[in-house]
């Protein structure tokens, strides 16, 4: 008797949760539809200048047209390629540098002031130097996508390495473990959640580096399309590129989130 | 002949602005199969002594002799058990237990079998594939005991292994550890600040004082209660006598070290 009434309360609670979720979803859809409708409407009624602010229908048409004639796909591909590579290189180098700092206390002390400066430095300002050094092509852009996340990854991961409870090392040392064994049995796996959490931050940072890089190199990619559209006063093209960036960046973020979940479930250790 | 000899050990810890004399003039001997307790207030250098014996830190001066031969490397004869279990949360209980053999590159099928057998002996059948977070504190500490025992250490170094447990669990674990060490004829050095635990488990009790950590007095546990299991020792009349003696000794030290 008592149990069944408990259960009723619980299902009522569950129902309430579901309703709340539905309300949130409805509002999200309304906001989206409302925004685009208002935009379309104001553009058609000349409340805003359609030349400057374009309109959703024009943007969609342009995207479809450019995909149909193949003048969008290459730009999209090249930007994605640069971003993914920049993201991977930046994250890996950041972790490798953190391992080096951990391996040698002295190296870490020597590097300390340089890391502080490099971290404080706005990395995209280095763009022109990359272009001079690596040429005005995708290599420079990838380098910018990478450099923007290296130092912050290094600092975050290194501090995670240092924060692990020294007693775990003590356990391993009592079995006669070497420094490297301590790293690979305790320090690395214990810091894995932190390393994984840097992934999500880094994928966003790489976008910044790559888009700025494409602005500067101005040859190919969605960043280039934005600059080009701006120069020829084709704001529909600018908006279309922004829309695509928003969609792909969100998809990448979600993918990294899935990867994160997968990695946490299959913690690398041996 | 003694299994382990500490000869005039002193140890200093340095930090940026100051140094601490953690130990001074520590000398004692441990015979094979003996159970020794180090008893004293927090900060008197008990853990430091264990770390020196295990070869984890080098003493500033003095010598550790094992079987009359001096050692200064990580000691393969010792097994270390800490206050908390420090089981690795991302490894199963079995993988945690096999850490020692893995590090020493002795992992094989018979080790696995041995691990399961030891788990059963400490009353933990069927947990090998579980992760530590699903075990209670007492179970985890028993798993940590198995992890220490599987490498077949000659000397067990127990650093307050029961102090993080609730009282009932602690009493049960004392009995278990005592029996296991007797069964396998192990030598043990137990660090504790619990007088009752020291009396009920050991053959000899080394009482220490702090600043710097030195040996204040050594008590022999009466022969009548040495071989009794800890739970029964606590009800023996000799237990109370020794308890009072040690209590007085610790109080005297406190009076001496109190600021003038
Ligand atoms: N790594 C260390 N660095 C500096 N001082 C330490 C370190 N470890 C211990 N000490 C100091 O040495 C003294 C003895 O410590 P410890 O051996 O841990 O004592 P106990 O185990 O008896 O509590 C304490 O005063 C402690 O502050
Ligand atoms: Mg201690």
């Amino acid at each position: 008797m008592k149990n069944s009434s408990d259960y009723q309360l619980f299902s009522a609670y569950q129902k309430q949760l579901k309703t709340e979720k539905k309300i949130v979803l409805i509002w999200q859809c309304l906001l989206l539809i409302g925004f685009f409708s208002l935009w379309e409407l104001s553009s058609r009624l000349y409340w805003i200048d359609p030349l400057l602010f374009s309109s959703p229908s024009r943007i969609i048409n342009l995207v479809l047209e450019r995909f149909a004639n193949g003048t969008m796909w290459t730009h999209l591909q090249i930007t994605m390629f640069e971003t993914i590579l920049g993201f991977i290189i930046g994250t890996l180098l950041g972790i490798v540098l953190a391992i080096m700092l951990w391996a040698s206390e002295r190296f870490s002390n020597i590097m300390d002031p340089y890391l502080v400066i490099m971290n404080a430095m706005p990395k995209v300002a280095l763009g022109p130097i990359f272009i001079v050094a690596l040429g005005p092509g995708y290599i420079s852009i990838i380098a910018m996508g990478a450099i923007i996340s290296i130092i912050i990854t290094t600092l975050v991961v290194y501090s995670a390495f240092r924060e692990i409870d020294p007693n775990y090392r003590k356990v391993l040392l009592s079995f006669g473990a070497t420094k490297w064994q301590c790293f690979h049995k305790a320090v690395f796996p214990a810091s894995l959640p932190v390393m994984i959490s840097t992934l999500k931050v880094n994928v966003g940072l790489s976008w910044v580096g790559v888009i700025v890089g494409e602005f500067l190199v101005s040859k190919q990619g969605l960043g280039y399309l934005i600059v080009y559209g701006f120069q020829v006063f084709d704001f529909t093209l600018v908006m279309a590129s922004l829309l695509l960036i928003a969609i792909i960046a969100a998809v990448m973020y979600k993918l990294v989130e899935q990867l994160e979940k997968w990695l946490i479930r299959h913690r690398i250790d041996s | 002949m003694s299994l382990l000899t500490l000869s005039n050990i002193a140890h200093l810890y340095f930090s940026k602005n100051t140094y601490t004399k953690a130990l001074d003039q520590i000398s004692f001997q441990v015979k094979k199969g003996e159970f020794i307790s180090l008893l004293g207030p927090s900060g008197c250098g008990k853990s430091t002594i264990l770390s020196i014996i295990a070869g984890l830190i080098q003493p500033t001066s003095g010598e550790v002799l094992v079987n009359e031969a001096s050692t200064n490397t990580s000691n393969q004869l010792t097994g270390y058990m800490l206050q908390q279990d420090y089981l690795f949360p991302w490894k199963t209980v079995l993988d945690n237990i096999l850490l020692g053999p893995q590090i020493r590159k002795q992992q094989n099928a018979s080790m696995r079998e041995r691990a399961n057998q030891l788990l059963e002996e400490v009353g933990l059948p069927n947990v090998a594939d579980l992760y530590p977070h699903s075990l209670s504190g007492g179970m985890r500490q028993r798993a940590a005991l198995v992890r220490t025992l599987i490498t077949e250490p000659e000397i067990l170094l127990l650093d307050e292994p029961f102090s993080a447990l609730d009282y009932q669990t602690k009493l049960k674990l004392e009995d278990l550890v005592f029996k296991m060490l007797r069964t396998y004829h192990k030598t043990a050095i137990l660090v504790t600040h619990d007088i009752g635990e020291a009396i009920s488990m050991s053959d000899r009790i080394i009482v220490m004082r702090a600043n710097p950590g030195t040996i204040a007095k050594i008590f022999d546990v009466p022969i009548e209660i040495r071989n009794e299991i800890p739970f029964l020792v606590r009800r023996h009349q000799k237990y109370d006598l020794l308890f009072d003696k040690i209590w007085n000794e610790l109080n005297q030290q406190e009076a001496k070290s109190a600021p003038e």
Side-chain angles (χ1 to χ4, degrees):
Chain A
M1 183 62 217
K2 185 164 172 283
N3 275 338
S4 80
S5 85
D6 286 353
Y7 185 75
Q8 272 166 9
L9 284 173
F10 177 57
S11 8
Y13 171 75
Q14 277 184 315
K15 215 176 268 171
Q16 200 187 336
L17 279 188
K18 259 188 210 154
T19 327
E20 181 61 29
K21 215 173 163 185
K22 241 184 245 166
I23 293 173
V24 168
L25 188 69
I26 290 171
W27 269 105
Q28 287 169 334
C29 292
L30 281 178
L31 259 173
L32 192 76
I33 295 167
F35 175 73
F36 281 103
S37 316
L38 191 66
W39 186 3
E40 184 71 40
L41 198 68
S42 7
S43 179
R44 296 211 175 185
L45 298 177
Y46 289 91
W47 296 347
I48 54 173
D49 187 346
L51 265 184
L52 292 182
F53 295 104
S54 190
S55 74
S57 57
R58 288 203 212 182
I59 293 170
I60 302 285
N61 281 337
L62 182 77
V63 169
L64 292 176
E65 185 189 311
R66 279 191 161 248
F67 268 113
N69 68 21
T71 51
M72 188 58 99
W73 189 233
T74 29
H75 293 292
L76 194 104
Q77 269 181 316
I78 192 93
T79 301
M80 280 174 64
F81 169 73
E82 288 160 351
T83 308
I84 292 171
L85 223 61
F87 159 68
I88 292 172
I89 293 173
T91 308
L92 283 183
L93 280 184
I95 292 175
V96 168
L97 197 57
I99 295 175
M100 286 163 68
L101 294 176
W102 182 86
S104 159
E105 180 107 26
R106 182 180 289 164
F107 179 59
S108 156
N109 289 336
I110 294 172
M111 291 307 289
D112 185 57
Y114 301 107
L115 286 173
V116 170
I117 293 171
M118 285 197 276
N119 185 43
M121 178 93 190
K123 262 72 68 180
V124 289
L126 298 171
I129 299 185
F130 280 124
I131 293 171
V132 170
L134 303 170
Y138 64 89
I139 298 191
S140 294
I141 299 175
I142 292 170
M144 284 185 68
I147 191 78
I148 203 165
S149 52
I150 291 179
I151 305 300
I152 187 69
T153 306
T154 304
L155 294 177
V156 170
V157 172
Y158 177 52
S159 85
F161 285 169
R162 289 171 60 109
E163 265 160 30
I164 108 146
D165 191 328
N167 285 308
Y168 284 112
R169 280 184 77 188
K170 198 166 177 181
V171 168
L172 295 173
L173 290 173
S174 78
F175 292 126
T178 60
K179 185 165 185 169
W180 172 243
Q181 279 175 320
C182 285
F183 180 77
H184 136 101
K185 299 267 181 235
V187 177
F188 189 83
S191 325
L192 205 60
V194 172
M195 283 186 247
I196 292 167
S197 73
T198 64
L199 294 180
K200 275 205 291 208
V201 178
N202 290 354
V203 74
L205 288 175
S206 293
W207 273 102
V208 176
V210 165
I211 296 299
V212 173
E214 289 179 347
F215 280 3
L216 292 174
V217 173
S218 223
K219 265 189 184 162
Q220 269 183 318
L222 296 173
Y224 159 71
L225 286 185
I226 292 175
V227 174
Y228 174 76
F230 177 62
Q231 283 165 350
V232 301
F233 228 70
D234 181 354
F235 283 96
T236 307
L237 180 58
V238 174
M239 297 285 186
S241 310
L242 285 176
L243 182 73
L244 286 178
I245 290 174
I247 293 171
I248 310 167
V251 169
M252 273 194 195
Y253 185 83
K254 281 286 162 193
L255 284 177
V256 170
E257 213 173 44
Q258 291 303 314
L259 177 74
E260 176 176 334
K261 281 189 192 144
W262 186 86
L263 281 173
I264 286 181
R265 251 182 286 127
H266 302 81
R267 274 188 122 153
I268 312 159
D269 82 276
S270 47
Chain B
M1 172 173 138
S2 69
L3 176 62
L4 180 75
T5 306
L6 273 71
S7 146
N8 210 8
I9 299 269
H11 192 72
L12 290 172
Y13 281 114
F14 300 109
S15 64
K16 203 166 157 195
N17 299 316
T18 180
Y19 63 93
T20 317
K21 189 152 204 170
L23 293 175
D24 197 24
Q25 296 176 9
I26 300 287
S27 302
F28 63 87
Q29 300 197 331
V30 185
K31 287 196 279 290
K32 188 168 162 45
E34 216 177 359
F35 198 123
I36 305 277
S37 283
L38 295 174
L39 183 69
S42 174
C44 70
K46 306 179 297 290
S47 297
T48 306
I49 294 184
L50 292 195
S51 291
I52 288 172
I53 295 172
L56 300 182
I57 54 180
Q58 296 305 315
T60 309
S61 66
E63 251 189 328
V64 178
L65 304 155
V66 175
N67 290 324
E68 321 268 298
S70 135
T71 67
N72 56 6
T73 51
S74 168
N75 202 330
Q76 299 267 321
L77 287 179
T78 56
Y80 213 121
M81 201 170 153
L82 299 169
Q83 183 172 16
Q84 275 161 34
D85 51 83
Y86 291 103
L87 295 173
F88 291 48
W90 56 87
K91 284 177 180 289
T92 62
V93 170
L94 183 66
D95 286 340
N96 265 294
I97 291 170
L98 293 174
L99 258 178
Q102 207 180 35
I103 283 166
R104 294 182 182 175
K105 313 225 184 302
Q106 303 162 337
Q107 198 184 8
N108 52 36
S110 72
M111 272 297 174
R112 256 158 212 281
E113 216 168 282
R114 179 91 186 108
N116 282 315
Q117 186 194 335
L118 280 169
L119 275 173
E120 205 147 315
E121 278 180 56
V122 300
L124 288 179
N126 312 323
V127 304
D129 296 323
L130 298 181
Y131 285 88
H133 64 80
S134 56
L135 307 185
S136 70
M139 290 163 88
R140 294 166 62 125
Q141 199 55 294
R142 280 183 278 169
L145 174 66
V146 173
R147 174 175 67 185
T148 311
L149 286 176
I150 195 151
T151 53
E152 309 256 312
E154 189 89 14
I155 307 166
L156 269 109
L157 307 173
L158 309 167
D159 197 348
E160 308 192 24
F162 312 117
S163 60
L165 303 172
D166 62 77
Y167 193 65
Q168 215 182 338
T169 313
K170 171 186 149 102
L171 291 187
K172 284 185 194 159
L173 244 107
E174 283 177 13
D175 286 1
L176 176 79
V177 169
F178 183 82
K179 282 184 206 155
M180 293 286 281
L181 299 189
R182 280 290 149 105
T183 312
Y184 292 106
H185 306 289
K186 299 290 183 200
T187 309
I189 302 176
L190 170 76
V191 159
T192 180
H193 49 239
D194 176 342
I195 304 175
E197 183 172 294
I199 300 174
S200 55
M201 295 192 74
S202 31
D203 303 322
R204 209 142 48 96
I205 300 169
I206 298 177
V207 175
M208 295 183 62
R209 77 167 82 87
N211 299 320
T214 45
I215 295 177
K217 203 164 181 179
I218 300 182
F219 292 89
D220 282 317
V221 175
I223 199 91
E224 298 93 319
I225 54 178
R226 266 187 214 174
N227 297 321
E228 214 44 277
I229 59 168
F231 188 77
L232 295 179
V233 173
R234 287 181 192 261
R235 304 158 155 221
H236 204 282
Q237 139 206 20
K238 295 261 177 182
Y239 169 91
D240 292 327
L241 288 173
L242 186 54
F243 193 103
D244 288 343
K245 273 200 232 163
I246 296 175
W247 177 259
N248 287 333
E249 175 63 34
L250 287 169
N251 274 340
Q252 270 172 30
Q253 278 171 41
E254 206 175 0
K256 265 187 237 160
S257 65
E260 285 98 56

